[in-house]
Amino acid sequence: MSSTRTPTYILIGLLAFAAIGLLAGLYSGLLRLGLLSDLSTQPISPILHGPLMINGFLGTLIGLERAAALDKRWAFAAPLLLAASSALLLAGFTTIGQWLLVAGSVGLAAVMIYLYVLQPKVYHLIMALGAITLLVGNILYLWDWPIFELVGWWAAFPLLTIFGERLELNRIMRPPKRAQHFFTALNLLWIGSLVVVHFDRSLGWRISSVLLIAIALWLFKYDIAKRTVKAMEWTRYSAISLLSGYSWLVITGLLGFWQGFATAGPYYDGLLHMIFVGFVFSMIFAHASVIIPSLSGKLVPYHNYFYLPLMLLHGFLVIRITGDVMHWPGIRITGSYGNVLAIILFLGGIIFQLFFSKRKSLTENP
């Protein structure tokens, strides 16, 4: 299942760098919550939480997945640069790391645009626009813009990538051309609303929120998940993860329309984590059984265990958002720790199943 020309060990190595970016990002997030606050110096800067999660983890992972699918050597520059930039940021070389973030996102945008040129379909266009929004966010980060000013562009990267992928994968549902054009228009308008945010934050994000709800409702209507939820094993698990993620997208839109997009505080925290934890990680859980084999060459055996981290992810996110909305810091922190636990349990389950599968294979085929 891995690329026919790219050695599997290279794919696994870059996948490991994405995992390191994830773990480092989670750890820096815990530092933001006050973990090890009694230390005079922190092992990782808490302000790296966003850059590591967006670039070190998601950027490296998505860049690797696209490069492996394209199977062009130059395409691997993007995940390599994004992984290297994370290492430099962690080592304290901030400026060089930021420049490599920009270079890596240029490479990723080039890959996505190349895919669109090869096959000019609307889903490739949406994914290419997602890579461009990452580039915009990273340029603003290089220019030392406040995170709250650029985080919308960072959020657009995984959102648009996922929207494009779901449109591509749902071709089997054959949504009408008019529906596909409407979905594309919603995505384009959503990008436009991010520009409006810079001029009128309240109005821009309320427009964004309405569009997010519309996109989620479109996915509910046309995504094959509403059929495959009746299937078994990974197929059913993926469908449940997808539908729960779309639900969080609706809730994100409702909260955003109600409160706008604050620059800090509990509503800011809640809004971002409904996007990144509620939606994005639901999508990661949903697609892991496909992504991991495509990069490692090994199937991930299904087990009902994986429902545990999925339930914990959503359950603790509800706790976290409750703490945000009710201004209960202790509840918010509890939910945050629970979200980290859920993600680690999922990652651990994947690793365990891969090792179990390997031992079984070696036993059956000495």
Side-chain angles (χ1 to χ4, degrees), residues 237-256:
Y237 180 87
S238 176
I240 292 173
S241 299
L242 289 166
L243 295 174
S244 59
Y246 301 157
S247 299
W248 278 112
L249 207 58
V250 172
I251 298 170
T252 301
L254 292 173
L255 180 63

Side-chain angles (χ1 to χ4, degrees), residues 5-309:
R5 283 173 285 179
T6 305
T8 301
Y9 69 86
I10 293 179
L11 300 178
I12 294 176
L14 285 170
L15 188 61
F17 271 107
I20 292 171
L22 169 63
L23 294 174
L26 292 175
Y27 184 62
S28 63
L30 293 177
L31 294 177
R32 287 179 65 89
L33 293 170
L35 180 70
L36 303 179
S37 58
D38 55 331
L39 296 181
S40 57
T41 58
Q42 302 286 3
I44 298 176
S45 173
I47 64 174
L48 290 179
H49 175 58
L52 287 172
M53 295 299 291
I54 295 296
N55 292 282
F57 172 50
L58 291 173
T60 303
L61 180 63
I62 293 171
L64 175 59
E65 190 268 335
R66 291 288 101 179
L70 185 59
D71 204 9
K72 299 285 186 182
R73 287 186 178 181
W74 63 267
F76 286 91
L80 278 169
L81 287 168
L82 290 169
S85 67
S86 299
L88 288 169
L89 290 174
L90 287 169
F93 299 101
T94 304
T95 302
I96 300 175
Q98 289 174 322
W99 275 105
L100 285 187
L101 286 181
V102 172
S105 47
V106 167
L108 183 56
V111 170
M112 296 298 199
I113 293 170
Y114 182 75
L115 286 169
Y116 176 69
V117 172
L118 285 180
Q119 191 178 16
K121 302 292 185 179
V122 290
Y123 46 80
H124 281 150
L125 172 63
I126 293 171
M127 286 188 274
L129 291 172
I132 292 171
T133 61
L134 177 66
L135 174 59
V136 172
N138 284 340
I139 290 174
L140 298 179
Y141 182 55
L142 174 66
W143 290 347
D144 291 326
W145 279 42
I147 296 296
F148 69 82
E149 288 282 7
L150 61 87
V151 72
W153 296 101
W154 274 351
F157 165 54
L159 287 177
L160 292 170
T161 301
I162 293 164
F163 295 159
E165 286 183 343
R166 293 315 303 169
L167 183 61
E168 179 183 14
L169 294 171
N170 284 306
R171 287 175 295 174
I172 191 172
M173 294 288 286
R174 296 183 179 179
K177 285 290 184 182
R178 185 164 55 183
Q180 294 184 49
H181 293 156
F182 179 62
F183 186 72
T184 305
L186 289 175
N187 281 268
L188 293 173
L189 289 170
W190 191 74
I191 295 171
S193 71
L194 295 180
V195 178
V196 177
V197 167
H198 291 293
F199 298 95
D200 188 327
R201 191 173 182 86
S202 177
L203 174 63
W205 194 255
R206 283 183 166 85
I207 295 172
S208 297
S209 299
V210 172
L211 292 168
L212 281 179
I213 294 171
I215 290 170
L217 293 177
W218 191 99
L219 290 168
F220 271 122
K221 180 176 177 61
Y222 291 108
D223 200 296
I224 196 172
K226 67 180 183 181
R227 294 186 182 180
T228 56
V229 73
K230 300 176 183 178
M232 298 175 63
E233 298 191 346
W234 277 123
T235 305
R236 177 180 173 84
Y237 180 87
S238 176
I240 292 173
S241 299
L242 289 166
L243 295 174
S244 59
Y246 301 157
S247 299
W248 278 112
L249 207 58
V250 172
I251 298 170
T252 301
L254 292 173
L255 180 63
F257 187 79
W258 173 37
Q259 288 291 326
F261 196 10
T263 58
Y267 287 110
Y268 174 81
D269 174 84
L271 199 66
L272 289 181
H273 287 88
M274 282 193 289
I275 292 174
F276 288 113
V277 177
F279 178 72
V280 174
F281 269 97
S282 290
M283 300 301 107
I284 292 170
F285 283 21
H287 294 108
S289 62
V290 176
I291 295 173
I292 300 299
S294 71
L295 298 176
S296 69
K298 287 188 64 64
L299 292 172
V300 181
Y302 171 79
H303 195 282
N304 286 334
Y305 161 84
F306 288 104
Y307 280 102
L308 173 63

